[in-house]
Amino acid sequence: MRRRAERALQAVAFDTIGADYGEAFPAKSGQLACGRRLLAELEPGAAVLDVGCGTGEPTVRQLTAGGLRVTGIDLSDVMLALARQADHPGAHAPVLHRIDMYDLATERADHAWNVPALGPRGRGGFAAVTAFFSLILLPQEEIPTVLTRIRELLRPGGLLALGMVEADLDHVPLPFLGRELRISGYLREDLERVLVESGFAVEEQSGHPYAPASTSLPPEEQLFLCCRRVG
């Protein structure tokens, strides 16, 4: 119950932040590069899950425009409303759901969120999953659990494109656009270990120094990893 209460507070914070998030983090080169790799490797119409899709920029729009079938999830009603209002060119309109990423591949996806396609019956149904700076909102102890559940939703050999902040942080409160958010991160060797232990092979990684605009957060190193489900 405590975890759910904390997640509800995070959702309220992002409801308040809304479109300002894109203004604070305008540079998306690493994220777009991961998207291009997915588009180059996946077949037209392949199913992709975007975990923490926010307003849909840029990943939902990029992958939808590239002909993939995108499902986006987020816990913020405001972020999802902005994503639904956006223009998403492509043959397949994105499908957007409100659900806690912690409940992916579990019975709660069906019973609590009414999204059975993201519960146990959805296992193996996605060719790829993207998670750009969404797992940083979880305590470190929960991140391997969510990665394992993401793996369950991927088909054998499916792809994971991940964005994280390189920092040794475990649910540390930080000021962000007038709110306080608890943020987690890993040093890159520790993040690779967590991914391997969760059933992924890291095929490519890159680091991008980045100074957030219009926030009091210090400059950070953003990590982008392209991974593949093992087994």
Side-chain angles (χ1 to χ4, degrees), residues 23 52 60 69 77 92 107 109 192 198 206 217:
E23 297 177 7
V60 172
R69 297 179 184 269
D77 284 317
H92 311 288
E107 294 290 348
E192 286 196 34
S198 300
S206 61
L217 292 176

Side-chain angles (χ1 to χ4, degrees), residues 35-48 63 66 68 126-129 155 157-159 228:
R36 288 192 294 271
R37 171 166 177 162
L38 296 185
L39 290 170
E41 184 158 343
L42 298 177
E43 71 276 11
V48 179
L63 299 184
L68 302 180
F126 289 92
V129 174
R155 67 190 184 189
L159 303 175
R228 190 177 301 273

